[in-house]
Amino acid sequence: MQIPKTTTRIINNELTAIIEGINISSDVVISTMGGSGKNVILNNPIINELKFTKDGVSVAKDIKLSNPEQNIGANLLINAANKTVEQCGDGTTTTILFIKALVNAAFNRDIEDKNEFIDNLDTFIEQFEALLTLQSKKIESIDDLYRIAVTSCKSVSIAALIKEIYTKTGFDANITLEQSKDADRTYYDLVEGLNFESGMINSRFANQDNNSCILEDAYLLLEEKMVSSIQAYDKILGQCLKNDHAIVIMAPQFSDEFIRFCITAKQADGLKICLVKSPGYNTYIKENYKDIMAFSKNDTVEKIIITPQNFTMFNRPDSIKLNKRIKQLEKLAEAAIEDYDENDYKSRIHRLKQTGAIIYVGGVTEKNIKEEYDRIEDALGAVSSAIRNGYVRGAGVELIQIIPLFKDSPIFWLIEDVLSRPYKQILENANITRTLKTDVPYNVKTKVYDENIIDALDVLTHSLKNATSLFKLLINTSYVIHNE
């Protein structure tokens, strides 16, 4: 096989083309923002399909610019937005909006001392997060969750579905998504689930289009030390392959050689395998392993869904073994000296008892399913974030309200422009030019002030932090090396 030759071009254009790519791409995505966001037509010439959508995630994923330097700008947007989604499950459009605002405010201005400017920017981000946290409120009712979901996905039916699930399961539900193979509608099943915030160590272990790995009747192998020896696992992996059994290996670390070996066995031989980083750290790994083994049955689980961020096990565990672990945790909670330890034990008890749900996303076409999947994923992410850390007034109002608190900042000119941008963009997309109050969210669809419009705190803070991280890299960049 002949390796294709590449040509390297070194470009010093003060990022002009990249900034153009950022603006071109961001303009398309942010046009979908808010209750009256505009439609975008997605054209797929391969299957000869035209589709209208207001889903910012779907739009962002479809953007590919013909100019290679401009396309770098588009890719930078997506990478920053994806980081926000990984952290809190939502925030694609908001992150992209903040990047555009930062870039357009600063790249048209002469900044004499970039190091000082970056220091001021870092100070602003710290203060922003602290101030917004002070303004946030905790989730207190199912209706709060419904409001978060509606704001995120702009769909009453999706929000109603999520509200119905949480009504039956409680706030600590583990809700996962799957694409339905045969249904033309979206539905859900309530199941028993145990979730941990630790995922697959390499995306090539995914066996689903949505970058997740789903294994049934999977054998669990839990290791407390780094896994590096292929020979030590050759026999058990060979048995799993021969008997068509799925296997999940959890460990604090895996050697690169072992990872490559397992990926090759999966892709070339069809071995049903996934490597997962041990959930937790230090002594908590052992405690998490105890929970997992109590929830499993004969070291196996009926079903496990693994994403890059977390995994959820679904099983009908041995009630005697499970109850024994729960009683052990109850005693530990009673004897705990520190509040942190007591809360951890109680959280484990609740998690081992809790109910979860799987939402099966259906649709008429594959594209319909994919868009619905993305919107539900966004809404669930926003709801989950709000449950953890609360919410603030939506429609850009909360950001407008805290602008005056930064009036003494050396970069107030930037802060004012960036924090006012979501509010202005939502009104612009709704073609509203008249002056409105800025202390109560305005519903651009019903044309009334509406306190039910709320945003998850984490979505706003992570969106701005990730947008700023990319922006700081860009202002210190002069050259582009492009390989063709």
Side-chain angles (χ1 to χ4, degrees), residues 68 96 110 128 143 149 174 177 197 224 233 247 254 256-257 365 370 376 407 453 477:
I96 289 174
D110 184 22
F128 168 79
D143 287 336
N174 289 323
L177 288 175
E197 292 185 354
E224 295 183 8
Y233 297 87
I247 182 170
F254 298 90
D256 291 340
E257 183 183 16
T365 67
K370 188 59 180 154
I376 295 175
K407 65 180 184 300
I453 299 176
T477 302

Side-chain angles (χ1 to χ4, degrees), residues 262-280:
C262 292
I263 290 174
T264 301
K266 173 186 180 298
Q267 296 178 340
D269 302 325
L271 177 63
K272 298 175 181 177
I273 187 171
C274 189
L275 303 184
V276 178
K277 188 180 185 301
S278 301

Side-chain angles (χ1 to χ4, degrees), residues 104-121:
N104 288 327
F107 274 86
N108 293 325
R109 193 181 183 102
D110 184 22
I111 300 173
E112 294 183 3
D113 190 335
K114 289 184 179 180
N115 290 329
E116 182 183 358
F117 174 74
I118 289 174
D119 288 342
N120 290 328
L121 196 56

Side-chain angles (χ1 to χ4, degrees), residues 276-342:
V276 178
K277 188 180 185 301
S278 301
Y281 55 93
N282 298 334
T283 58
Y284 290 99
I285 293 179
K286 291 184 178 181
E287 292 300 318
N288 287 335
Y289 277 178
K290 289 178 183 177
D291 292 346
I292 291 171
M293 296 313 296
F295 191 79
S296 64
K297 192 172 184 178
N298 298 325
D299 298 337
T300 63
V301 289
E302 294 175 11
K303 189 172 191 176
I304 182 167
I305 300 177
I306 308 162
T307 73
Q309 297 83 38
N310 56 61
F311 67 89
T312 305
M313 301 184 301
F314 302 100
N315 201 34
R316 286 187 292 270
D318 184 322
S319 59
I320 296 177
K321 186 168 65 171
L322 185 64
N323 289 332
K324 182 179 179 181
R325 173 60 175 164
I326 290 174
K327 288 180 180 178
Q328 181 188 41
L329 290 167
E330 288 172 344
K331 290 180 180 179
L332 290 170
E334 291 175 4
I337 298 174
E338 299 292 336
D339 290 341
Y340 181 86
D341 290 330
E342 181 183 358

